Amino acid sequence: MTEAATRRAPGTPCWVSLMVHGLAATEEFYGALFGWEFEPGPQQLGPYVRGLLDGKEVAGIGQLPPDRRLPIAWMPYLATDDADRTAETIRSCGGTVGVGPLDAASAGRMAIASDPAGAVFGIWQAAGHLGTAVAGPPGTPVWNELITRETSYVGKFYEAVFGYDVESVVSADLDLLTLRLAGRPVAALHGVGRPRARERGAHWMTYFEVADADAAARLVQELGGQVLQQPREGAYGRQATVADPEGAVFTIVRSAEDRGAGEPGRGAVR
C-alpha cells in the first residue's frame, strides 16, 4: 500500500533522519541497500541530503561536524502544528529540548528533544516539506517503535504531549503500548526491562520495508554493516535488526500481508 505525503495530524511520525560522520559513504550504503537516490536538503545544521525512491522523499541524512561525538542513530520526527508550543509542552512534561525550535529554510520548523527516559526524537512543523512522501513499498520507513525500560511513565509523557490514545497489550510477559490517533495505530512503545535497556539506553527504532528480509540482511553485511538479530518471524512480519557501517541500528521487515492499517507495510508514517 502506497501513501502519498499529506499534512500529518500532530503526533504522527512524518520523517526519519540520520546524522553521520561520513555522508558520502552512508549515501552509498543506503543507496545500494534501498535503491535511494539523493538530493541536497536544508543545510542549516550542516551538509544534509534527502533520500529519494522513484523521485519521492523518504528519509534524510546529515553530516555531523568533525568534533561532535553524538550517538549515530535513526531518529523519527513527530508532526506538530506549532513547534514552539510543543517544545514548551515537552519541557513542562519532563522532557528536554536540545536543539531549536528553529527554521529549516522554507521546509518547516523543527526541534530535537528527548523524553524523560532519554530517547531522542524530533518534532516537525511542516511548511514546504511535508515529510515522507511514500510509505509501504520496499525502501520506505513503515513503523517506529520506542525501546525503553518500561512503558507506563514514558507512555504518559507521549500521551500528554501529543494527545495519543494509548492501548496496552495485556500480557504477563510483554510490556507494549500502541499509540493511536483517531483510532489508527501510528507507533508503539516496547518496555524491555532494566538489563536490556542498559545496552543502548532508551531509543526509537525505525522499521524499513524490504522485499526479502533474509536477502536484505545478507546485503547489509556485504555492504559493511552488521546483522544484530538474524531474520526471524516477528510481530510485524519477517524482520531482522541490523546496523549500518557507522553503527546506526534499524529494523528491516517484510511485512505480514494481513497486518492492519498503520502497522508495517500499511503506511504507518502517514
Side-chain angles (χ1 to χ4, degrees):
M1 179 176 178
T2 299
E3 300 284 357
T6 57
R7 182 170 294 277
R8 274 74 168 191
T12 309
C14 61
W15 186 245
V16 290
S17 189
L18 173 66
M19 299 296 289
V20 297
H21 294 292
L23 183 56
T26 301
E27 287 183 47
E28 185 175 344
F29 173 85
Y30 287 100
L33 180 62
F34 292 140
W36 293 351
E37 297 178 336
F38 297 91
E39 68 176 16
Q43 307 291 308
Q44 270 71 11
L45 301 179
Y48 190 87
V49 296
R50 296 177 185 176
L52 309 178
L53 191 65
D54 297 326
K56 297 179 179 179
E57 299 170 338
V58 293
I61 304 174
Q63 182 166 308
L64 286 166
D67 59 339
R68 298 297 294 274
R69 290 289 176 253
L70 298 176
I72 308 298
W74 280 101
M75 179 179 68
Y77 280 80
L78 307 178
T80 177
D81 288 337
D82 188 330
D84 295 82
R85 184 174 61 193
T86 300
E88 285 301 318
T89 305
I90 288 169
R91 294 187 186 99
S92 68
C93 291
T96 302
V97 178
V99 177
L102 54 84
D103 290 327
S106 61
R109 189 162 174 80
M110 54 82 69
I112 297 174
S114 57
D115 67 27
V120 178
F121 63 96
I123 56 174
W124 182 254
Q125 179 183 338
H129 174 60
L130 296 176
T132 301
V134 58
T140 63
V142 291
W143 189 243
N144 291 281
E145 184 172 87
L146 174 66
I147 311 300
T148 193
R149 178 180 166 186
E150 57 87 24
T151 64
S152 61
Y153 174 56
V154 77
K156 291 181 174 64
F157 166 83
Y158 286 99
E159 183 179 11
V161 173
F162 295 105
Y164 298 119
D165 294 321
V166 178
E167 179 184 47
S168 176
V169 173
V170 179
S171 170
D173 57 356
L174 184 63
D175 180 11
L176 186 68
L177 299 180
T178 300
L179 305 181
R180 295 177 177 269
L181 290 171
R184 185 172 58 87
V186 295
L189 311 184
H190 186 191
V192 295
R194 187 191 298 269
R196 281 192 61 195
R198 277 201 298 261
E199 293 174 12
R200 288 186 55 216
H203 62 279
W204 280 92
M205 175 76 75
T206 297
Y207 286 66
F208 291 93
E209 187 75 21
V210 293
D212 183 324
D214 296 79
R218 290 192 296 269
L219 182 55
V220 165
Q221 291 183 301
E222 292 170 10
L223 295 171
Q226 293 181 291
V227 176
L228 305 178
Q229 287 187 301
Q230 292 293 331
R232 63 205 182 279
E233 296 302 322
Y236 306 124
R238 189 158 181 81
Q239 62 193 59
T241 305
V242 300
D244 70 19
E246 288 207 23
V249 177
F250 57 100
T251 295
I252 49 177
V253 60
R254 174 64 173 94
S255 294
E257 294 298 331
D258 60 349
R259 300 304 299 181
E263 292 168 291
R266 306 295 177 184
V269 297
R270 185 178 59 179

